[in-house]
Amino acid sequence: MEFKWLVREELSQLRTIDRKELVEEVYYIKNQALQLVKEYYDISGWLESELTIYEQRLQSLFDRDGIIIGAYEENVLVGLVSLESYLIDSKTMKLDMLYVSHDYRRQGLGRRLIDIISQEAKELGAKELYISATPVRNTVDFYLRLGAELANPPDMYLFELEPLDIHLILPI
């Protein structure tokens, strides 16, 4: 596995990440606690409209001096993590994105990408990452296993952008 800091021209490679996932449970916040609810979604991959938005988001992040790191297997992007370039407060940076291709999940790649981006955040003065996670059980459980906790209270600006997400803080 090769890890590299992406340049703007490489950001469209996001589409090579296999996003498929079978979702059977999602989290909601009830009374300031996580509650699992059975819901079924068969995510077959990227929606083209969604992919366009995410590519534009990465380009904007890149233009703001954000950090975007890719994981490559045989010159194919199979994982990506990105970090905003600024502190939200005196100690927190926002993890912007984390995606790992379907066939590379549960093999430590996500953890490795978080370790790499956490080191970058530390070097920029952060002590924790703010994570706005999709409420899918696998995603939220991944962050909880890393030591993340519910953001209490969540950042109001970020919460308003993604009110259905699970807002977490990960000490680094």
Side-chain angles (χ1 to χ4, degrees):
M1 188 74 52
E2 176 189 359
F3 297 93
K4 91 179 215 184
W5 280 239
L6 300 183
V7 297
R8 198 171 204 283
E9 295 74 31
E10 296 170 316
L11 300 179
S12 63
Q13 294 176 18
L14 176 65
R15 64 184 55 243
T16 67
I17 294 176
D18 181 0
R19 191 167 172 236
K20 74 179 165 198
E21 183 173 9
L22 184 62
V23 175
E24 296 178 344
E25 295 175 297
V26 297
Y27 281 107
Y28 289 94
I29 302 289
K30 300 285 184 189
N31 300 319
Q32 297 181 1
L34 290 172
Q35 179 181 22
L36 262 179
V37 175
K38 293 212 176 287
E39 290 185 20
Y40 180 83
Y41 304 98
D42 188 357
I43 301 167
S44 60
W46 296 101
L47 297 174
E48 192 60 38
S49 59
E50 180 181 52
L51 189 56
T52 299
I53 290 168
Y54 283 157
E55 287 176 352
Q56 291 171 347
R57 184 167 144 186
L58 285 172
Q59 290 168 358
S60 178
L61 179 82
F62 183 86
D63 292 344
R64 291 191 309 273
D65 295 324
I67 299 169
I68 305 163
I69 299 170
Y72 288 83
E73 185 72 39
E74 298 180 11
N75 296 316
V76 176
L77 183 70
V78 297
L80 179 139
V81 66
S82 61
L83 179 73
E84 279 289 355
S85 59
Y86 57 87
L87 290 166
I88 295 171
D89 54 31
S90 62
K91 64 180 180 180
T92 310
M93 292 189 91
K94 181 181 182 287
L95 177 74
D96 184 64
M97 262 186 226
L98 174 66
Y99 283 103
V100 174
S101 282
H102 180 268
D103 291 344
Y104 291 85
R105 294 181 196 145
R106 300 188 185 277
Q107 298 178 28
L109 179 56
R111 177 180 290 273
R112 181 73 180 114
L113 287 167
I114 291 293
D115 288 346
I116 292 169
I117 210 72
S118 293
Q119 185 59 43
E120 293 293 319
K122 282 181 190 178
E123 290 175 13
L124 294 169
K127 305 244 184 291
E128 60 189 25
L129 296 178
Y130 190 97
I131 302 164
S132 180
T134 59
V136 172
R137 181 178 187 174
N138 289 337
T139 300
V140 174
D141 285 356
F142 165 76
Y143 290 118
L144 294 175
R145 282 192 304 274
L146 294 179
E149 297 179 353
L150 283 177
N152 190 15
D155 179 277
M156 289 314 298
Y157 173 75
L158 296 173
F159 181 80
E160 287 177 11
L161 289 176
E162 299 179 294
L164 298 178
D165 279 5
I166 304 300
H167 294 256
L168 303 164
I169 296 291
L170 177 64
I172 54 174

